[in-house]
Amino acid sequence: MDKGCWRVALTLALVLLVSAYTGASLSWSMVDFIEAVKRVEDAYPGSEPVAVLKRLRGAADLNDAFIRHFLGNAKVRVTKLEANLTDYIINAVPHGVTENGQEEGVVLTPDGTTVALRPVLLGIEAGLLSKTAGRARGLYQLTLAKDLSHSFRQCSPLSRRLGPDGCWDSVAFPQFFTLSDRPSLLTTAQVNGGMDGVVLGMEVSHESRRPVKLSSLLTEYYCHQLESNGLDAAPRLVSRRRRENFRGLVAPPVLVRQGVKSAELERKLKGQSEMAAKEKRRLGTAMREGMKEFVHKYMDCPPIIPRCMWGAEPYRGTPTNLTLPLSFMYIHHTHTPGQPCVTFHQCSADMRSMQRFHQDDRGWDDIGYSFVAGSDGYIYEGRGWHWRGAHTLGHNSKGFGVSFIGSYITSLPSQHAMGLVRDQLASCAVDGGRLDATFTVQGHRQVVNTSCPGEALYKEIKSWERFGEVQKS
């Protein structure tokens, strides 16, 4: 087992020893789910990954006509599985949202993101059944396209068609995942799972890349442990690269076409008449308009870990809302913590440490930064897009403050971390109407004064010329 998963598994094992005596259920973590997959593999030794997937699908009753059309029947016998393991699979794989906003069929991954298991498993199975490398029948429809077409067919233009994200009751032993807002027909966890399903399904469609075991594929993808330079030296196929891998594989027009095909297939499987040309055009238009929102939110914008996931304390007082759009982005580094963080748990601890320092020692209402970039592949939400920060004296209402975790006296943040800020966070802010298209990047005095740490970072910021004039603040 990969070191990253091994460490998380060891912690969970200690919890599960207690759980065995208290009657508590298993947690909804990817590590626990991978362990469940291993137990299925052990119950049927020698089974190919596609056979294991069919058993998981059969136990979870994912066998509707739409799925069978692409993957065949999954009514297989799972009598060798223990009752508690079957119950776990039944509850872990099917997706749904309860009336009180709890999302089911999702798990917390070691990198701090949440994924729906259903599209992950369906995508992998479609890839394994592929007869042609790089092509998998039904891959897009099973993972994302059908759900996108359902979401974009909503009538009201005011309705939220994508998202939201949410938060777990515990990151150490996750049991309940509660959405942060009214759910759409396609939540962020479903999108994450759909992207993973496409990426992994396309990968295993190549015969030379097919795994010996399903559990090994999931472990390598979700549990890779980063070195000190973060994602710069990481393998291509890891969950932290979800969005960049997906962008490299899928063009938005493909999802539009596949979404329309999904709607046509659903009608056919229900015995209904063919979709009229006018209705098909209307759906295509809705898909194209909806894809603009999808591309902005999940392909242009970087993945952002919300406050509740890193354990933020509440804002002290009443936040002051920013007047958008803003004209500046101020770049900082933390100095303390002085080392880059490369895991969700370490980055979260660093965020809590900074918030305590800013609130308790500085007397500020909250952590000062708008956003903070880790070296683990993620942006961490500070005060966010709408609350005025405390990052650049005299300029807090004029721009966002973004900091890199680590002290950069003579070295730079990882190339991937800088790209998250320079390319994705900035583009996300402009396209979302939060920054002027001609905004200016400025290095705060913390990174520009030669007597202070960060001269290397400031020199790098000066090269970001395509964002306009870079000035000392």
Side-chain angles (χ1 to χ4, degrees):
M1 180 183 289
D2 182 277
K3 291 181 180 178
C5 268
W6 182 85
R7 291 178 178 176
V8 178
L10 182 60
T11 301
L12 286 172
L14 296 175
V15 177
L16 294 177
L17 285 175
V18 177
S19 302
Y21 294 99
T22 61
S25 61
L26 295 175
S27 76
W28 301 123
S29 72
M30 181 58 77
V31 174
D32 264 4
F33 180 73
I34 292 173
E35 182 59 34
V37 171
K38 288 181 178 179
R39 289 166 62 183
V40 174
E41 292 169 338
D42 291 343
Y44 298 91
S47 294
E48 296 290 328
V50 71
V52 174
L53 283 160
K54 285 192 181 295
R55 290 193 170 94
L56 291 171
R57 187 155 59 89
D61 199 26
L62 295 186
N63 205 40
D64 60 47
F66 191 89
I67 295 174
R68 291 199 309 272
H69 177 80
F70 295 108
L71 304 181
N73 203 319
K75 291 295 184 182
V76 293
R77 295 170 62 84
V78 290
T79 53
K80 292 184 180 180
L81 301 185
E82 307 162 23
N84 62 343
L85 177 58
T86 303
D87 290 341
Y88 180 78
I89 295 169
I90 288 172
N91 289 295
V93 178
H95 182 267
V97 177
T98 67
E99 291 184 356
N100 61 353
Q102 289 183 353
E103 190 170 8
E104 300 175 336
V106 298
V107 294
L108 175 64
T109 68
D111 64 20
T113 57
T114 300
V115 301
L117 288 170
R118 183 180 186 273
V120 176
L121 300 179
L122 294 180
I124 296 172
E125 188 172 348
L128 290 171
L129 293 175
S130 171
K131 304 299 183 184
T132 306
R135 297 180 61 184
R137 179 173 177 267
L139 177 62
Y140 299 121
Q141 297 186 45
L142 290 166
T143 53
L144 271 175
K146 186 182 78 167
D147 291 332
L148 283 170
S149 70
H150 286 176
S151 185
F152 296 156
R153 271 184 283 178
Q154 290 185 12
C155 296
S156 172
L158 299 177
S159 62
R160 173 173 289 183
R161 296 177 293 188
L162 296 170
D165 206 340
C167 282
W168 290 93
D169 57 329
S170 167
V171 296
F173 191 67
Q175 292 281 307
F176 301 103
F177 185 71
T178 304
L179 295 171
S180 59
D181 203 346
R182 181 172 57 86
S184 70
L185 294 180
L186 189 59
T187 66
T188 293
Q190 286 176 278
V191 173
N192 288 340
M195 287 183 171
D196 289 346
V198 169
V199 171
L200 292 173
M202 194 65 76
E203 183 73 12
V204 301
S205 70
H206 298 263
E207 191 170 354
S208 62
R209 301 174 191 168
R210 289 175 182 170
V212 175
K213 289 188 175 183
L214 174 63
S215 59
S216 299
L217 175 68
L218 295 175
T219 298
E220 291 171 7
Y221 185 71
Y222 288 108
C223 302
H224 178 78
Q225 186 176 17
L226 298 179
E227 302 298 333
S228 59
N229 54 352
L231 278 175
D232 286 358
R236 175 184 59 85
L237 199 69
V238 292
S239 60
R240 290 178 176 87
R241 296 190 186 274
R242 171 184 297 120
R243 295 191 183 194
E244 62 187 85
N245 283 330
F246 184 80
R247 283 196 303 270
L249 287 172
V250 185
V254 172
L255 287 178
V256 171
R257 290 195 299 271
Q258 292 294 327
V260 174
K261 286 185 177 181
S262 296
E264 292 179 303
L265 177 59
E266 285 187 286
R267 291 175 69 102
K268 179 180 179 181
L269 293 173
K270 292 176 182 178
Q272 299 173 349
S273 60
E274 290 187 9
M275 188 180 296
K278 184 177 180 180
E279 185 179 357
K280 189 184 299 187
R281 286 195 300 270
R282 186 164 55 244
L283 176 57
T285 299
M287 286 290 297
R288 285 189 290 274
E289 286 299 312
M291 282 306 299
K292 295 177 183 177
E293 181 183 347
F294 178 87
V295 168
H296 168 70
K297 187 167 186 174
Y298 296 111
M299 296 176 73
D300 292 341
C301 290
I304 298 175
I305 302 294
R307 292 170 60 89
C308 54
M309 283 299 294
W310 59 261
E313 291 294 320
Y315 191 101
R316 295 178 181 176
T318 303
T320 300
N321 286 332
L322 291 166
T323 301
L324 305 177
L326 304 180
S327 299
F328 298 91
M329 180 176 284
Y330 301 103
I331 306 298
H332 304 248
H333 72 146
T334 61
H335 190 217
T336 303
Q339 297 299 317
C341 62
V342 294
T343 69
F344 164 66
H345 292 285
Q346 184 57 56
C347 292
S348 296
D350 288 346
M351 292 294 291
R352 293 191 297 270
S353 175
M354 284 186 284
Q355 187 186 41
R356 284 194 299 270
F357 174 67
H358 289 175
Q359 287 186 321
D360 298 340
D361 293 12
R362 292 286 180 87
W364 298 345
D365 294 332
D366 197 2
I367 188 171
Y369 307 118
S370 306
F371 296 96
V372 178
S375 293
D376 62 336
Y378 294 101
I379 299 289
Y380 286 75
E381 180 185 24
R383 299 204 190 186
W385 296 118
H386 301 288
W387 294 353
R388 187 178 69 191
H391 46 78
T392 312
L393 185 62
H395 295 74
N396 292 319
S397 63
K398 299 178 181 179
F400 297 110
V402 182
S403 186
F404 293 95
I405 292 180
S407 177
Y408 298 102
I409 302 173
T410 58
S411 62
L412 289 172
S414 69
Q415 290 296 314
H416 191 277
M418 288 193 294
L420 281 179
V421 174
R422 181 188 61 233
D423 303 326
Q424 293 180 257
L425 187 64
S427 175
C428 179
V430 170
D431 293 342
R434 293 140 178 161
L435 271 176
D436 288 324
T438 57
F439 74 95
T440 300
V441 176
Q442 291 191 340
H444 183 252
R445 64 179 180 275
Q446 178 192 36
V447 299
V448 303
N449 190 328
T450 55
S451 64
C452 294
E455 182 67 13
L457 180 56
Y458 172 61
K459 290 179 180 178
E460 172 64 21
I461 294 169
K462 287 184 67 177
S463 71
W464 298 359
E465 293 177 355
R466 69 187 186 90
F467 293 130
E469 184 182 0
V470 179
Q471 304 174 10
K472 294 186 179 182
S473 155

